[in-house]
Amino acid sequence: QVQLVESGGGLVQAGGSLRLSCAASGRSFSNYFIGWFRQAPGKEREFVAAITWSGGNTDYADSVKGRFTISRDNAKNTGYLQMNSLKPEDTAVYYCAAGRPDRVVLDTDYRYWGQGTQVTVSS
């Protein structure tokens, strides 16, 4: 069992930066991929980024590529999402997830989820 808690969300102006954290408790955190997803009001949850258990490989949605960076520190049982050059369209609740996905972009392939953290980008 893995429990996930996101933090670091908030209100930021367009062009600004935020770093989200995903603190994990429970065992075997380092055995799981980490995924970040987001859900804007009235929209479906969408994939943002993912990182393998070792941190050796990452994937990004085209909409955030070059602006967001996913990372993890297995010694601290924590994952991160550094978000730069934020745009109003990045406004959403951001969720971290852990699992062993067959396809990293599918939210249904992740077993554990955090409660989400709100990110609001003003224009």
Side-chain angles (χ1 to χ4, degrees):
Q1 189 76 8
V2 176
Q3 294 80 42
L4 304 173
V5 179
E6 302 96 335
S7 62
L11 174 63
V12 64
Q13 288 188 331
S17 298
L18 285 173
R19 188 174 83 154
L20 305 184
S21 297
C22 175
S25 60
R27 59 182 184 178
S28 304
F29 171 75
S30 60
N31 292 339
Y32 296 108
F33 283 44
I34 296 174
W36 285 93
F37 292 80
R38 67 186 182 186
Q39 187 167 22
K43 295 186 177 181
E44 293 188 353
R45 187 161 57 188
E46 65 175 1
F47 169 75
V48 175
I51 188 167
T52 54
W53 65 272
S54 67
N57 286 290
T58 57
D59 284 281
Y60 296 93
D62 287 343
S63 59
V64 306
K65 204 169 291 184
R67 300 187 297 122
F68 290 11
T69 302
I70 189 172
S71 62
R72 67 189 296 163
D73 185 338
N74 287 339
K76 295 182 178 180
N77 277 5
T78 303
Y80 304 97
L81 185 68
Q82 177 67 43
M83 306 186 296
N84 299 328
S85 302
L86 283 161
K87 304 175 181 179
E89 51 263 44
D90 294 319
T91 295
V93 177
Y94 283 71
Y95 299 90
C96 72
R100 299 188 179 101
D102 290 327
R103 294 189 61 187
V104 297
V105 300
L106 290 182
D107 56 356
T108 52
D109 276 11
Y110 291 82
R111 183 172 182 181
Y112 304 106
W113 289 84
Q115 83 290 348
T117 185
Q118 176 71 46
V119 171
T120 303
V121 184
S122 64
S123 57

